[in-house]
Amino acid sequence: PHESKTEELVLDITVHKQGKKKFYASINNVTLQTKALRENFINHQKMDVIFNSIAGYGIFSLDAKGNVDSWNQSASTTLGLNQPEAIGQHYANILNMEMEKAQTLLKMAEYCGWIAFQTPIQEEKSSNETILSVIRDNNDCIAGFSVITKAC
C-alpha cells in the first residue's frame, strides 16, 4: 500500500486598494518561511527545556559587552541571585570580580574561543569553576558569551 503524504501549502494574500473602486491582490507562497519559523520555535523550546533542567550548573549568557541577557534556573541556586536581579548586570558583579579582570577574561575568551577560571564564593572557603565561551555570528563578529559555572 502506498502511504499518501500531504504537504501543507501556506499562502499570504495581500489586498491593495488602487483608486476608489479598484483593488488588486497578490498571493505569495510562504510555506518555507512558515516551516522555518515553526522549526525554529520547536528548537527554541527544546533548548529552553535543556537549559533550565540542568541541575548544579549555573548557565547564563552575556551580550557582547558582558551584561547578563539570559539566566537558567540553576544559576539562581548556584550564584544566589534570581533572574530579575541578574539580567542586565555585568557578569563581573555576578561573579564578584574586579571589572578589569572581567574585561581581560572576555578578551581572552574572544581570542581563544573559551577560557576556564575560578572565582571565590563570598563568605565561603570554596570557589566556582567557570567556563566563559565566545559566541560569534555568521560574520564572525562577537554576538555575546556563554557562561557555565559550578560550585567546587
Side-chain angles (χ1 to χ4, degrees):
H2 290 81
E3 192 175 306
S4 86
K5 289 186 178 182
T6 59
E7 289 195 29
E8 180 181 46
L9 176 64
V10 181
L11 301 174
D12 172 51
I13 302 173
T14 306
V15 178
H16 301 274
K17 186 174 183 180
Q18 191 177 42
K20 287 186 176 183
K21 295 184 179 182
K22 288 187 176 181
F23 295 88
Y24 71 92
S26 63
I27 300 173
N28 298 297
N29 182 348
V30 292
T31 304
L32 294 178
Q33 295 91 329
T34 303
K35 183 178 178 184
L37 285 171
R38 199 174 290 143
E39 288 173 1
N40 189 33
F41 176 78
I42 291 168
N43 287 337
H44 179 74
Q45 294 295 339
K46 288 178 184 177
M47 291 306 298
D48 195 45
V49 168
I50 293 167
F51 182 69
N52 283 308
S53 65
I54 298 173
Y57 289 86
I59 302 173
F60 55 99
S61 63
L62 312 173
D63 63 18
K65 294 179 182 178
N67 299 309
V68 176
D69 60 10
S70 74
W71 188 260
N72 81 336
Q73 294 170 354
S74 188
S76 298
T77 305
T78 305
L79 297 167
L81 290 171
N82 61 36
Q83 185 180 28
E85 294 171 323
I87 299 294
Q89 282 201 50
H90 195 276
Y91 91 103
N93 299 330
I94 303 292
L95 297 179
N96 302 311
M97 68 172 65
E98 295 176 12
M99 186 62 74
E100 186 177 333
K101 179 179 179 181
Q103 294 294 10
T104 299
L105 291 169
L106 289 176
K107 291 288 182 197
M108 290 172 73
E110 181 180 332
Y111 180 75
C112 299
W114 65 274
I115 185 146
F117 57 95
Q118 291 190 345
T119 55
I121 299 174
Q122 278 187 331
E123 301 176 14
E124 294 184 28
K125 293 184 178 181
S126 62
S127 62
N128 283 331
E129 189 173 298
T130 304
I131 298 173
L132 175 67
S133 302
V134 69
I135 300 169
R136 297 187 180 274
D137 65 15
N138 293 343
N139 296 318
D140 205 32
C141 296
I142 295 175
F145 298 87
S146 68
V147 180
I148 301 173
T149 188
K150 178 177 174 64
C152 299

